[in-house]
Amino acid sequence: MGKGFFTVCGIIEIEDKILLVRHTYGTAKDRILVPGGYVEENELPNVAIEREIFEETGVVAETKSLLSVQFKTNQWCPVFVCEYISGTPKSDNYENSEVLLLNIDEAINREDITNMSRELLKIYRANKENALTKRDYIAKNMTEQSYVLFGGRERKDG
């Protein structure tokens, strides 16, 4: 599968606001969207979104859960929920011209947000508690750098 086949994007809240970027090229030029990008060869998708968020915004984030997956015939894009760790959001002045922190409802209602990002934020608002969480399990003969599992929450009996 070629480089263009796997992309990632991530939703991250900082002080109850959603981190968004204003894109500088392609069909999303001058529109705002959730950060994301391509998965590099031999890179896990959750690592790719952490890298992309940092490269695009200067924010260190950690993936916590898998919210949804977008499928096209030529591309798959997992959408992660990420936790803010550190960093002051700032534009990379290359892929994006601006970094914004917006209330989720404000972001959804903006005319300059991409349709896909609007839909992802609606899914996040309604379902963030039901996303597939990152598990501690590592498959036998694998390492943390080569394996990750996201799954439902464990049932609490009683």
Side-chain angles (χ1 to χ4, degrees), residues 31-66:
R31 300 190 71 196
I32 60 172
L33 64 155
V34 296
Y38 291 109
V39 178
E40 294 179 354
E41 190 171 339
N42 296 317
E43 183 179 45
L44 290 171
N46 61 302
V47 174
I49 191 54
E50 292 170 3
R51 175 184 52 74
E52 286 287 345
I53 289 171
F54 180 74
E55 289 175 358
E56 292 182 13
T57 70
V59 167
V60 176
E62 181 180 331
T63 52
K64 289 298 179 187
S65 58
L66 178 64

Side-chain angles (χ1 to χ4, degrees), residues 86-99:
S86 65
T88 302
K90 63 186 180 316
S91 171
D92 69 359
N93 293 312
Y94 176 66
E95 290 188 54
N96 67 72
S97 61
E98 181 181 15
V99 172

Side-chain angles (χ1 to χ4, degrees), residues 10-11 62-67 79-83 124 128 131:
I11 297 173
E62 181 180 331
T63 52
K64 289 298 179 187
S65 58
L66 178 64
L67 182 68
V79 180
F80 294 99
V81 175
C82 300
E83 179 181 358
Y124 175 73
K128 66 182 170 184

Side-chain angles (χ1 to χ4, degrees), residues 1-8 37-40 45 74-78:
M1 293 183 194
K3 178 180 177 181
F5 201 83
F6 291 110
T7 60
V8 291
Y38 291 109
V39 178
E40 294 179 354
N74 62 344
Q75 187 180 74
W76 295 2
C77 181

